[in-house]
Amino acid sequence: MVVSKGRSVEDILQLYEEGQRDFGENRVQELLRKREQLPGDIRWHMIGTLQTNKVKYLIGWIDLIHSVDRLHLFEELEKRSARANAITRVLIQIYIAQEPTKHGMSWAETEEFFRQRMWERFPHVQICGLMGMATYTSNTEQVRKEFTRLASFLRHIQERYVPHWEHFKELSMGMSNDWQIAVEAGATIVRIGSLFFE
Ligand SMILES: *Cc1c(COP(=O)(O)O)cnc(C)c1O
């Protein structure tokens, strides 16, 4: 997937013409503006921190929200999706890094979410997998460890709690600087920005 945050509509259009159809943004405002100016068959992904009061603008058309990082956001997504009679596809963002600037649900919180079947309260939110951002470091072994742990966690959650969920399979991990490691560890979606535009 192409991360097009901060890039112009012209730059995006060029990649579109080369065949790219999946684009990700981290700000709702920018996402709405670009969507309006670009072809309708683009699949848009929300990858940044999502404020609860912005959820309503995404419902009914967003392809995948990668950054669901708190229970309160699930509640808002459920409320708005139910009201629009829509199913919203999301990933749970897990805090996998050793870095305070990154965020997400913790391993323990996520385990509890599934153990207590909290997802039953959110029938209009389809959880399609997990997202994680590794620590920004040149230590590739640490990055590999973080991605591998996320991949095993996905398998663990699925086997133990939701074996009947065929849609629970996406692993969104890897960016320009670490995507190869992410793919080796089992990523199904890599989020690439700078590499496409440099
Ligand atoms: C910006 C961003 C990316 C892409 O980063 P690059 O280093 O430009 O590839 C990926 N994921 C998220 C969540 C981002 O905010």
Side-chain angles (χ1 to χ4, degrees):
M1 177 198 105
V2 182
V3 175
S4 50
K5 66 184 186 209
R7 313 294 172 172
S8 70
V9 165
E10 292 70 31
D11 283 349
I12 297 174
L13 207 48
Q14 191 172 340
L15 289 171
Y16 175 88
E17 276 154 13
E18 290 167 15
Q20 300 295 339
R21 289 297 178 272
D22 289 87
F23 291 88
E25 293 280 338
N26 65 347
R27 289 162 182 273
V28 172
Q29 217 76 359
E30 191 174 338
L31 184 49
L32 294 172
R33 181 175 58 77
K34 287 177 174 169
R35 172 174 179 250
E36 211 166 85
Q37 299 175 47
L38 284 157
D41 62 340
I42 287 181
R43 290 180 293 266
W44 290 104
H45 299 248
M46 176 62 192
I47 62 169
T49 311
L50 181 56
Q51 285 172 275
T52 317
N53 62 0
K54 301 267 172 71
V55 164
K56 56 177 179 285
Y57 301 117
L58 303 179
I59 301 303
W61 60 272
I62 195 83
D63 190 70
L64 185 63
I65 301 175
H66 294 230
S67 45
V68 176
D69 58 359
R70 56 198 193 276
L71 207 55
H72 190 51
L73 196 48
F74 268 106
E75 286 160 2
E76 181 67 12
L77 284 160
E78 173 57 30
K79 185 172 98 185
R80 296 287 175 177
S81 305
R83 200 176 285 178
N85 201 19
I87 300 287
T88 304
R89 298 170 66 243
V90 308
L91 305 178
I92 296 179
Q93 181 171 354
I94 312 271
Y95 182 79
I96 65 172
Q98 307 284 316
E99 218 170 77
T101 56
K102 306 268 159 73
H103 55 96
M105 306 223 311
S106 70
W107 304 103
E109 249 180 305
T110 309
E111 178 99 29
E112 276 309 288
F113 181 91
F114 284 98
R115 200 180 60 76
Q116 297 182 32
R117 301 171 69 90
M118 288 187 204
W119 48 267
E120 286 180 343
R121 291 162 43 199
F122 313 118
H124 294 85
V125 183
Q126 185 178 54
I127 306 169
C128 298
L130 305 175
M131 185 272 232
M133 292 172 84
T135 308
Y136 187 77
T137 169
S138 56
N139 181 349
T140 54
E141 279 323 298
Q142 183 179 347
V143 172
R144 191 182 311 279
K145 227 183 259 173
E146 291 171 5
F147 285 153
T148 304
R149 186 170 176 199
L150 188 64
S152 343
F153 191 62
L154 179 93
R155 278 195 304 274
H156 159 74
I157 293 290
Q158 173 159 44
E159 284 165 15
R160 176 135 187 200
Y161 303 108
V162 289
H164 56 294
W165 278 14
E166 275 170 31
H167 55 270
F168 188 71
K169 57 170 196 275
E170 303 296 346
L171 266 176
S172 168
M173 54 186 199
M175 319 196 329
S176 293
N177 62 321
D178 56 15
W179 68 269
Q180 280 116 328
I181 306 173
V183 168
E184 283 165 21
T188 62
I189 306 173
V190 287
R191 306 179 311 272
I192 309 290
S194 8
L195 273 186
F196 272 112
F197 295 97
E198 271 158 12

